Amino acid sequence: MVTIDPLFVLAVALLVAGVVGSFVPLVPGVALSLAGIYVYWWGTGYVEPGLLFVAVATVVGAVTLALDYLSSVISASASGASLRTAAVAGVVGLVLLLVTGPVGMLIGVVVATFVLEYVRSGDVERSLRTGIYTSVGMLASSAMQALITGALLVGFLIAVW
């Protein structure tokens, strides 16, 4: 008879929830993935999956979380928006994520970026381009979070097998 290690099942469940959570609004996908790794590592007496894997996963996860939360600011700045516009886009994104969810957040950040850049420059085309670049950057951040959580799941399975 095969015995199933409940700790391993819990860790994999958290890692899978992390992958799924990267597609679901307000679910901290990377944090769930890291929780799965930490639970298993703690449960094995800090033996598996190994300190190097845990350290790398932690750094990658922390950077991914930071970039995800700052994606509107980073993408607005990269598109040529002013620092003020980028900061306002970040605040608008955070507030609208909590109030309206991801679709409202995306639309709100694009509109805020467009309006603030239009007021600043008076150039409709440039302002529209800045708004579009900002939205593309935010969507790319979500896609990156899905890739990272998937990589953490696969890396964990390889490390403990």
Side-chain angles (χ1 to χ4, degrees), residues 109-132:
V109 167
V110 170
V111 169
T113 303
F114 171 79
V115 168
L116 290 170
E117 283 302 298
Y118 180 72
V119 167
R120 183 173 78 103
S121 71
D123 185 345
V124 173
E125 184 179 317
R126 180 173 182 260
S127 301
L128 184 60
R129 184 177 60 243
T130 301
I132 290 170

Side-chain angles (χ1 to χ4, degrees), residues 58-150:
T58 299
V59 169
V60 168
V63 168
T64 302
L65 281 171
L67 290 177
D68 186 47
Y69 287 118
L70 296 173
S71 65
S72 60
V73 175
I74 293 168
S75 55
S77 294
S79 67
S82 70
L83 181 58
R84 177 177 168 253
T85 298
V88 170
V91 171
V92 166
L94 180 61
V95 170
L96 287 178
L97 177 63
L98 298 173
V99 175
T100 64
V103 174
M105 176 190 73
L106 185 63
I107 292 169
V109 167
V110 170
V111 169
T113 303
F114 171 79
V115 168
L116 290 170
E117 283 302 298
Y118 180 72
V119 167
R120 183 173 78 103
S121 71
D123 185 345
V124 173
E125 184 179 317
R126 180 173 182 260
S127 301
L128 184 60
R129 184 177 60 243
T130 301
I132 290 170
Y133 284 4
T134 301
S135 66
V136 168
M138 291 171 65
L139 292 172
S141 173
S142 295
M144 184 55 66
Q145 185 178 2
L147 288 172
I148 295 297
T149 55

